[in-house]
Amino acid sequence: MRGPLLIFLLVLLSAFKPSQQAPYALRISCGARNDVHTAPTNTLWYRDFGYSGGYFTNATRPSYISPPLTTVRYFPLSEGPENCYHIERVPHGHYSVRIFFGLLKDPTFDNEPLFDISVEGTLVYSLQSGWSNHDDEQAFVESMVFLEDGTASICFHSTGHGDPSILSIEILQVGNNAYNFGPGWGRGTILRTHKRLSCGAKQRKFDVDYSGDHWGGDRFWNAIPTFGESSDRVLTTKNSIKLSPKVPNYYPEALYQTALISTDNQPELSYTMDVDPNRNYSIWLHFAEIDPSVTGEGQRVFDILINGDNEFKEIDIVKLSGGVNSALVLNKTIPISGRSLTVTLDPVKGSHTIISAIEIFEIVNAEAKTLIDEVRALQKLKSALGLPLRFGWNGDPCVPQQHPWSGVDCQFDSTKVKWFIDGLGLDNQGLGGHLPEDISKLSHLQHVNLSQNSIKGHIPSSLGKITGLEVLDLSYNFFNGSIPESLGGLTSVRILNLNGNSLSGRVPAALGARLLHRASFNFTDNDGLCGIPGLPTCGPHLSAGAKIGIALGACVGFLLIATCLTCWWKRRQNILRTQQIAARGAPYAKARTHFSRDVQLTRHNNGHENARTAAENGPILLS
């Protein structure tokens, strides 16, 4: 009985197990010190974290659709032109990344910030003048992007007009195949949302307001009640809509319960929107046959033209979706050379056309990133040199290509499909600190100019590992110690300026030999250098072992001398102490000496007297 009962319980539990794990969702209230919940959905916004700089202050919401948050983080140009949010521990997957812009409290037009936004190193949007006066999608930017290294990088690039200010950031996981537009789609592309329209809707809504699936990413749908005066009418239904079983777009049912339908006066429907020229756009069109006058196939058939080209011919919604009140989604990628995009529905059968929603995405080619080891090496260099805040040096040093790091030169490696650093130009920038050994990890460097700063310490020997280095200018700093022997291995070096430092010792012989190959070296204004023409002559050359032996011998000799001096000093102290004691006891010693001498003389005289008496009286007999 136990076995069948256990199996029954497992089956019962599996029936209540969610069919799919909930998507990852992270929302940040920029500038907030504490977590925030917003009405009416009680959405959780985490306190501000992950930023590279900037300040927080009170916010003014520029748009009705902006989240009801009260703070922003803004980034003054004095803090650097590039500032980023780096979010860690983001699961691998496909994400909708949405950034809402904010305004400082009581703004004026003159301080409306205009700046660029990049996601994962790719420029996705540039704010245009007047954006804060539009109560629509211009209040935010949204992109579909793959995040595969466990992090999300979102950066804001100053363009010289106002300080970038951010109201909120959302990172919402969507289906891995969401918005698959066919050839060219995948990890190498980013879809930036240009426009989403819910046709016939009276109010703009998010997916959450539509009770949409969380895997849709909580998309925003702007309401469009008409394409133009007398060109259409609104059609609605309360009937349930059969959604396509094909994932992963997860569109909400309510999206298809409203539609615009053409009128007898104008049987075709047409909508025109502004776009950026010379871009590729992914167009998604949504339909559901909710007109009760249409009950089967063949009753409504129409063509779809995009900028005058017939891209979809003889569309029968009932036939393609499987019935009435069933959703149909069509997609097409279109290159646009002009500044407008027009979608036209032209009837073929039946007198009217119908449409539920429109989505337009700009297809952006994702930028290749910089080699991660070189990025880390630059970050350590930034710290070691105490790079001023005005440099920024946040995000990726080479991308977006419109905003590389100041003082950094980049080259693209088509084999590795990565950027690398081939030059550093940081001369006369007031830098201090020291040059770290990790600079050798910038293995593609060809030009380095750090002259006219206040950099201290030794020249890293690891510089000799950068074999392609052609120009190295460290002049007019405070480098000390000797020139590393490893620099002699820089066979490609053409210019080496080490003048104006405090270097000492012999110039490596290999560097001296390079002078015969038309290399230009400058070692002047280093009082302790020697060994090549133009510098003082060095003494006999000693090997490292000999130098160590001499040093040890000097130490032993010093110890012997110190020991002898110590013994002599102690002996001298003893003699002086004895003399002092003798001087204090001299009268007593003299009297004692005289007394001893008198006793001895008395004994001597008595002996002689006794002998004479005995001789005169003869022997004495004892009885």
Side-chain angles (χ1 to χ4, degrees):
M1 285 295 294
R2 183 181 299 177
L5 179 60
L6 180 60
I7 294 174
F8 173 76
L9 290 174
L10 290 174
V11 171
L12 185 62
L13 288 173
S14 66
F16 290 97
K17 183 178 179 180
S19 59
Q20 191 173 29
Q21 183 180 0
Y24 175 92
L26 174 67
R27 294 177 172 88
I28 299 174
S29 176
C30 299
R33 295 178 180 270
N34 301 297
D35 296 347
V36 179
H37 288 83
T38 56
T41 56
N42 199 38
T43 301
L44 170 62
W45 300 84
Y46 287 98
R47 62 182 178 82
D48 201 356
F49 70 96
Y51 49 83
S52 65
Y55 305 94
F56 61 86
T57 187
N58 293 330
T60 297
R61 293 170 60 198
S63 169
Y64 174 80
I65 66 173
S66 301
L69 302 171
T70 60
T71 59
V72 294
R73 179 168 289 275
Y74 70 101
F75 303 95
L77 185 57
S78 59
E79 296 287 306
E82 278 76 51
N83 287 278
C84 304
Y85 275 77
H86 297 289
I87 312 301
E88 303 289 341
R89 296 188 294 277
V90 179
H92 294 197
H94 197 198
Y95 287 86
S96 171
V97 178
R98 184 163 56 208
I99 303 106
F100 273 93
F101 317 127
L103 294 172
L104 306 187
K105 197 74 172 178
D106 299 325
T108 65
F109 179 80
D110 289 339
N111 69 5
E112 178 188 52
L114 304 180
F115 53 96
D116 293 344
I117 301 97
S118 67
V119 176
E120 292 297 293
T122 299
L123 184 67
V124 295
Y125 193 62
S126 298
L127 270 75
Q128 303 299 315
S129 179
W131 67 266
S132 60
N133 297 325
H134 291 80
D135 193 16
D136 57 14
E137 294 98 328
Q138 293 192 38
F140 69 91
V141 62
E142 177 187 85
S143 298
M144 301 288 180
V145 59
F146 281 94
L147 302 176
E148 299 185 299
D149 60 0
T151 64
S153 178
I154 304 164
C155 297
F156 312 103
H157 311 274
S158 296
T159 58
H161 191 294
D163 299 326
S165 53
I166 310 302
L167 183 72
S168 66
I169 293 175
E170 295 173 273
I171 302 174
L172 309 174
Q173 190 173 11
V174 298
N176 279 342
N177 290 316
Y179 296 104
N180 185 335
F181 56 81
W185 177 88
R187 272 83 177 154
T189 55
I190 294 175
L191 288 181
R192 180 186 68 81
T193 304
H194 180 76
K195 193 174 289 291
R196 278 198 183 94
L197 301 174
S198 178
C199 301
K202 294 181 179 180
Q203 295 181 346
R204 63 198 67 173
K205 292 184 178 181
F206 288 87
D207 268 12
V208 65
D209 302 316
Y210 276 134
S211 300
D213 192 298
H214 291 298
W215 283 94
D218 196 20
R219 292 159 289 203
F220 170 73
W221 300 90
N222 210 341
I224 181 165
T226 180
F227 285 168
E229 294 183 5
S230 303
S231 66
D232 50 40
R233 61 184 176 88
V234 175
L235 194 64
T236 64
T237 184
K238 293 183 179 180
N239 294 330
S240 62
I241 301 297
K242 180 182 178 183
L243 298 175
S244 171
K246 296 180 180 179
V247 294
N249 293 325
Y250 306 102
Y251 292 105
E253 179 187 17
L255 183 67
Y256 301 94
Q257 291 177 324
T258 64
L260 287 175
I261 187 169
S262 62
T263 63
D264 293 335
N265 295 332
Q266 190 171 342
E268 71 175 22
L269 284 174
S270 184
Y271 180 76
T272 299
M273 68 194 77
D274 295 331
V275 293
D276 293 328
N278 304 315
R279 310 287 175 89
N280 292 328
Y281 287 87
S282 180
I283 302 170
W284 298 74
L285 306 174
H286 301 263
F287 307 91
E289 190 54 82
I290 61 174
D291 186 354
S293 67
V294 175
T295 57
E297 297 180 12
Q299 297 179 23
R300 191 195 313 275
V301 180
F302 55 90
D303 293 338
I304 303 176
L305 290 75
I306 300 177
N307 278 1
D309 296 326
N310 196 341
E311 301 293 349
F312 299 95
K313 296 181 179 181
E314 299 185 355
I315 298 301
D316 186 333
I317 300 173
V318 176
K319 180 179 179 179
L320 293 175
S321 66
V324 297
N325 298 320
S326 296
L328 171 67
V329 182
L330 300 177
N331 167 246
K332 193 74 174 180
T333 298
I334 302 293
I336 305 295
S337 57
R339 293 186 174 274
S340 64
L341 187 156
T342 301
V343 177
T344 303
L345 280 60
D346 191 15
V348 175
K349 269 187 186 179
S351 59
H352 304 136
T353 54
I354 188 172
I355 187 168
S356 299
I358 300 175
E359 293 179 284
I360 308 294
F361 299 92
E362 180 188 341
I363 301 174
V364 181
N365 291 325
E367 292 268 17
K369 294 186 177 182
T370 306
L371 292 168
I372 187 62
D373 287 344
E374 300 206 353
V375 176
R376 290 170 179 165
L378 283 178
Q379 290 170 341
K380 290 187 177 181
L381 183 67
K382 171 186 175 180
S383 176
L385 295 180
L387 210 66
L389 291 175
R390 56 185 167 82
F391 275 84
W393 277 33
N394 297 305
D396 190 293
C398 300
V399 294
Q401 295 181 52
Q402 299 88 340
H403 298 281
W405 286 4
S406 178
V408 175
D409 297 328
C410 301
Q411 286 289 337
F412 185 69
D413 186 336
S414 58
T415 302
K416 296 181 178 179
V417 195
K418 292 286 186 180
W419 291 88
F420 60 83
I421 312 303
D422 73 338
L424 290 175
L426 298 171
D427 53 302
N428 197 25
Q429 297 296 332
L431 306 180
H434 66 283
L435 201 56
E437 290 286 345
D438 280 346
I439 193 173
S440 64
K441 293 182 178 178
L442 300 171
S443 57
H444 298 88
L445 281 176
Q446 297 180 17
H447 306 269
V448 175
N449 187 352
L450 299 174
S451 63
Q452 301 185 68
N453 286 294
S454 300
I455 306 172
K456 306 176 182 64
H458 290 70
I459 296 175
S461 60
S462 62
L463 277 172
K465 298 178 181 179
I466 309 176
T467 55
L469 198 59
E470 298 179 3
V471 176
L472 178 59
D473 191 345
L474 304 180
S475 60
Y476 298 106
N477 280 284
F478 294 97
F479 288 106
N480 54 37
S482 60
I483 299 175
E485 291 286 340
S486 62
L487 296 194
L490 298 177
T491 56
S492 299
V493 70
R494 296 181 291 103
I495 299 175
L496 177 61
N497 294 333
L498 301 180
N499 52 299
N501 284 285
S502 300
L503 300 171
S504 59
R506 181 186 295 273
V507 175
L511 284 179
R514 293 290 300 159
L515 292 172
L516 302 177
H517 295 79
R518 298 183 180 180
S520 173
F521 294 171
N522 191 341
F523 302 115
T524 60
D525 296 331
N526 287 282
D527 293 340
L529 286 180
C530 61
I532 63 171
L535 296 178
T537 303
C538 298
H541 178 71
L542 297 175
S543 66
K547 292 178 181 179
I548 293 174
I550 291 174
L552 290 175
C555 291
V556 172
F558 174 78
L559 290 175
L560 288 174
I561 292 173
T563 301
C564 291
L565 289 174
T566 301
C567 293
W568 174 84
W569 182 80
K570 288 185 176 181
R571 181 178 178 84
R572 176 66 177 167
Q573 291 297 316
N574 290 335
I575 293 173
L576 291 175
R577 190 178 298 110
T578 302
Q579 290 177 348
Q580 291 173 355
I581 293 173
R584 288 195 300 268
Y588 169 76
K590 183 175 180 180
R592 183 171 181 174
T593 301
H594 289 170
F595 174 76
S596 299
R597 187 185 59 188
D598 292 343
V599 169
Q600 290 176 359
L601 289 175
T602 302
R603 289 177 178 175
H604 180 73
N605 291 332
N606 288 338
H608 282 284
E609 185 64 27
N610 291 334
R612 190 175 59 250
T613 305
E616 292 176 355
N617 297 325
I620 299 176
L621 298 177
L622 297 177
S623 57

